Amino acid sequence: MNNISTIAKKEIRSYFYSPAAYILLGFFLLLTGWLYGSHLFLIKEASLRNIFQLIPLILIFLVPAITMRSISEERNSGTIELLCTSPVRDSEIILGKFYAAFFLLSTAIIFTLFYGIIISFISSPDWGIIIAAYIGLLLMGAAYSAIGIFGSTISKNQIVGFVFSFFIILIFYLIDKFLYLFPAWLGSILQYISIDFHFQNIARGVIDSRDVIYYLSVIVLFLFFARQSLTKHKYL
């Protein structure tokens, strides 16, 4: 556990020692702030509904941008060999990188709670639904982060990692949007695989154990894939 914590802290420091974290956080908050403000002042509707509809789409681009350097930069610079020859297991490297990426992403998401606080001064929002939606966003963000860490293990090139992660996340997001193309029995399976389907369930204010288990399964599965990929490619 100490190794995981050390790697995560080092990774978080590296995020904030470079302008990348500030640019990504600034871009995310500016975009969500503009979406929130336009909905509040132009449409005259005091709610976070549009924010909860659009943040999952923004995360499809944001998470691969955060995670693309996690392992690929270590491999490209050669520091992965030093890391792997130290008394640290591959699984600890993956978990440390995952926790760091999730920390940065969670920080960005939690900052948007400020919009809910503003709304509470001018209307009476249902905080139960808002909190449930934020839990859904964090679970979705953790699943995206696990996919992104896996993507960063497949190549030394960060762009390759970004594109690979982006398309996997996009497929998981869109997979329930074209169910009419498939027979009913296959459609129900594809719907269950969809990341957005489970988020929409939670965003209604009901945290069902099936949705939580789905997200935890995706996180564990892709972190396992990431460890296997790191073990296979770390000296290539």
Side-chain angles (χ1 to χ4, degrees):
M1 195 64 190
N2 286 338
N3 289 334
I4 296 172
S5 175
T6 302
I7 292 169
K9 289 176 182 175
K10 176 178 174 293
E11 189 73 2
I12 291 170
R13 281 197 299 271
S14 72
Y15 280 135
F16 288 98
Y17 283 161
S18 73
Y22 301 101
I23 292 171
L24 291 173
L25 285 175
F27 167 77
F28 177 77
L29 293 175
L30 279 174
L31 186 55
T32 54
W34 176 78
L35 293 169
Y36 166 77
S38 61
H39 201 74
L40 179 62
F41 296 112
L42 298 180
I43 303 179
K44 310 291 185 185
E45 182 179 333
S47 89
L48 294 177
R49 186 172 54 187
N50 67 324
I51 291 289
F52 293 138
Q53 290 174 341
L54 293 170
I55 283 182
L57 288 171
I58 298 171
L59 296 185
I60 294 174
F61 297 90
L62 183 70
V63 174
I66 291 174
T67 58
M68 66 181 186
R69 56 178 291 280
S70 297
I71 300 295
S72 58
E73 187 178 72
E74 301 270 14
R75 289 180 59 198
N76 191 44
S77 63
T79 53
I80 192 68
E81 295 181 11
L82 294 174
L83 196 57
C84 291
T85 52
S86 61
V88 179
R89 290 178 292 182
D90 292 349
S91 58
E92 293 174 325
I93 297 172
I94 292 299
L95 285 174
K97 299 284 186 179
F98 167 74
Y99 289 141
F102 182 61
F103 174 82
L104 182 60
L105 181 64
S106 302
T107 302
I109 290 173
I110 289 171
F111 270 135
T112 63
L113 265 173
F114 180 68
Y115 308 141
I117 295 172
I118 292 177
I119 286 178
S120 68
F121 286 111
I122 56 179
S123 67
S124 301
D126 187 334
W127 276 99
I129 292 178
I130 291 175
I131 296 299
Y134 271 99
I135 291 172
L137 284 178
L138 292 174
L139 287 169
M140 173 185 274
Y144 283 4
S145 298
I147 295 171
I149 294 295
F150 170 55
S152 75
T153 64
I154 66 163
S155 172
K156 296 178 181 178
N157 189 316
Q158 295 184 27
I159 303 302
V160 173
F162 175 91
V163 173
F164 187 79
S165 305
F166 170 79
F167 277 107
I168 293 179
I169 293 171
L170 187 66
I171 290 170
F172 269 89
Y173 181 83
L174 291 178
I175 202 166
D176 69 333
K177 312 303 183 207
F178 302 97
L179 296 180
Y180 60 88
L181 296 174
F182 301 96
W185 66 269
L186 182 57
S188 61
I189 295 173
L190 295 177
Q191 186 180 54
Y192 185 79
I193 294 173
S194 167
I195 278 182
D196 191 50
F197 168 71
H198 294 277
F199 171 70
Q200 295 302 331
N201 288 342
I202 296 175
R204 294 188 186 99
V206 179
I207 301 177
D208 192 308
S209 60
R210 288 170 295 185
D211 299 316
V212 175
I213 290 171
Y214 165 81
Y215 280 117
L216 294 179
S217 301
V218 172
I219 293 165
V220 171
L221 181 66
F222 277 94
L223 290 180
F224 172 76
F225 287 161
R227 194 204 67 172
Q228 296 299 99
S229 178
L230 175 63
T231 302
K232 181 179 179 181
H233 296 111
K234 59 187 175 185
Y235 296 123
L236 298 180

